[in-house]
Amino acid sequence: MHYNAIWLSDIHLGYRDCKANFLLDFLNKTHTNRLYLVGDVVDLWAMKRSFLWPPSHHEVLRKIIDLANNGTRVIYIPGNHDDLMREVAGTVLLNIEIHQQFVHTTHEGKKLLLLHGDEFDHAVLCNRFARLAGDAGYSLLLHFNRWSNILRRWWGLPYWSLAQYVKNRVRNARAAIIAFEEAAAKEAIRQGADGIVCGHIHQPEIRTIDGILYCNDGDWVESCTALVEHRQGKLELLHWGDLQQAIKCDQAANDSTISAPYSLPRLS
């Protein structure tokens, strides 16, 4: 499978819930002219708390460097978990371009603003206690997600994100996600772009907001998703776990029946 461009974000290498094996399989089975890394590639925050660097995480990083050295243009926009790299924005490291933000022009001529997304945290204001409670709740949710998928493997079922399922059924979480998406669309309008691609909130989505194409490429902790641009310019979200399937494309951006959480069939 060859794509004009691939967007990945929130990989969180160095964090125990990173699905590095799924991502490595994706990188080995796809080809692209441009690979965009839209932040939180290496989770420096998690590694400060407890150092973790399994072989699979190293293989993902080595694969990205190999791509950069063998003809793929790799553009890296650091996020909040790897914010130290923002200090070297505007430079090239190991053939990987580092930028604060970037503009991608699709085959159809649409200009897409690329940034990580923590710039919109102001749109999801909450007090310190609520943030701490949210962090603790999210960690617990990922813990349950880990164990639920161990059980699913025992039962011969494919990977499925319990964390995504629960998050999309909590009213306050849904309201925060919508506020984030709307803030991102406003920034695209402010900068004169046709659309925006970001990550940060671990919520894969393609939808139109006030005439702006909002794309979130998701993450490799919960959803295991990537955004791709096909050769003819179509944008599509892909899920890549035990099963691989398209979730949504820009041509169905306004179809409210297609949204996360997505269902997965049984393994045959």
Side-chain angles (χ1 to χ4, degrees):
M1 290 175 286
H2 189 99
Y3 300 105
N4 290 341
I6 293 174
W7 290 265
L8 305 171
S9 74
D10 299 273
I11 300 170
H12 291 278
L13 297 173
Y15 182 51
R16 67 178 301 176
D17 286 298
C18 166
K19 306 299 186 294
N21 287 323
F22 288 152
L23 177 55
L24 189 60
D25 184 62
F26 173 79
L27 292 172
N28 284 331
K29 292 179 179 177
T30 56
H31 301 277
T32 183
N33 300 329
R34 292 190 181 194
L35 174 62
Y36 292 107
L37 305 172
V38 196
D40 288 0
V41 174
V42 176
D43 195 332
L44 300 178
W45 293 9
M47 293 174 72
K48 284 179 182 177
R49 293 192 300 269
S50 177
F51 184 81
L52 175 76
W53 196 254
S56 59
H57 294 209
H58 181 73
E59 287 301 313
V60 168
L61 193 58
R62 189 170 72 172
K63 177 65 178 180
I64 291 170
I65 294 170
D66 286 346
L67 289 171
N69 289 328
N70 288 281
T72 299
R73 186 179 180 189
V74 180
I75 296 170
Y76 171 31
I77 301 165
N80 53 316
H81 282 252
D82 49 11
D83 58 350
L84 285 177
M85 296 304 296
R86 287 174 170 168
E87 297 179 6
V88 293
T91 66
V92 178
L93 181 64
L94 299 174
N95 286 332
I96 297 172
E97 302 175 35
I98 305 172
H99 297 268
Q100 288 281 9
Q101 60 180 44
F102 199 81
V103 174
H104 171 82
T105 303
T106 70
H107 179 74
E108 296 177 334
K110 294 180 181 178
K111 294 188 181 299
L112 303 179
L113 174 66
L114 317 182
L115 40 77
H116 177 62
D118 58 304
E119 297 88 344
F120 310 126
D121 282 348
H122 67 275
V124 194
L125 292 175
C126 57
N127 62 43
R128 179 172 175 78
F129 175 77
R131 287 199 301 272
L132 290 172
D135 289 343
Y138 184 63
S139 296
L140 184 62
L141 197 55
L142 289 179
H143 175 78
F144 288 141
N145 192 67
R146 196 181 312 132
W147 281 100
S148 72
N149 277 288
I150 289 173
L151 293 175
R152 287 179 67 85
R153 282 197 298 273
W154 285 348
W155 294 332
L157 296 171
Y159 174 82
W160 177 78
S161 179
L162 173 66
Q164 281 280 319
Y165 181 85
V166 172
K167 189 168 64 176
N168 280 274
R169 279 160 175 74
V170 176
R171 185 171 58 183
N172 288 346
R174 282 299 308 160
I177 290 166
I178 292 169
F180 176 93
E181 293 172 347
E182 291 175 348
K186 288 178 181 176
E187 181 62 18
I189 292 172
R190 190 185 73 81
Q191 296 203 34
D194 300 305
I196 187 167
V197 180
C198 56
H200 188 51
I201 58 172
H202 297 198
Q203 183 71 15
E205 181 61 284
I206 297 178
R207 71 185 184 100
T208 301
I209 305 171
D210 296 330
I212 293 294
L213 184 64
Y214 168 85
C215 303
N216 194 303
D217 56 20
D219 65 282
W220 293 85
V221 172
E222 303 171 47
S223 57
C224 301
T225 53
L227 179 71
V228 300
E229 180 192 344
H230 291 265
R231 290 190 174 189
Q232 73 276 23
K234 182 179 77 170
L235 298 173
E236 192 169 48
L237 273 173
L238 302 179
H239 167 75
W240 203 278
D242 298 304
L243 298 171
Q244 297 92 46
Q245 63 183 27
I247 304 172
K248 194 174 185 181
C249 72
D250 57 348
Q251 296 167 5
N254 292 325
D255 189 341
S256 61
T257 66
I258 307 174
S259 61
Y262 48 89
S263 60
L264 292 174
R266 291 177 60 92
L267 283 172
S268 58

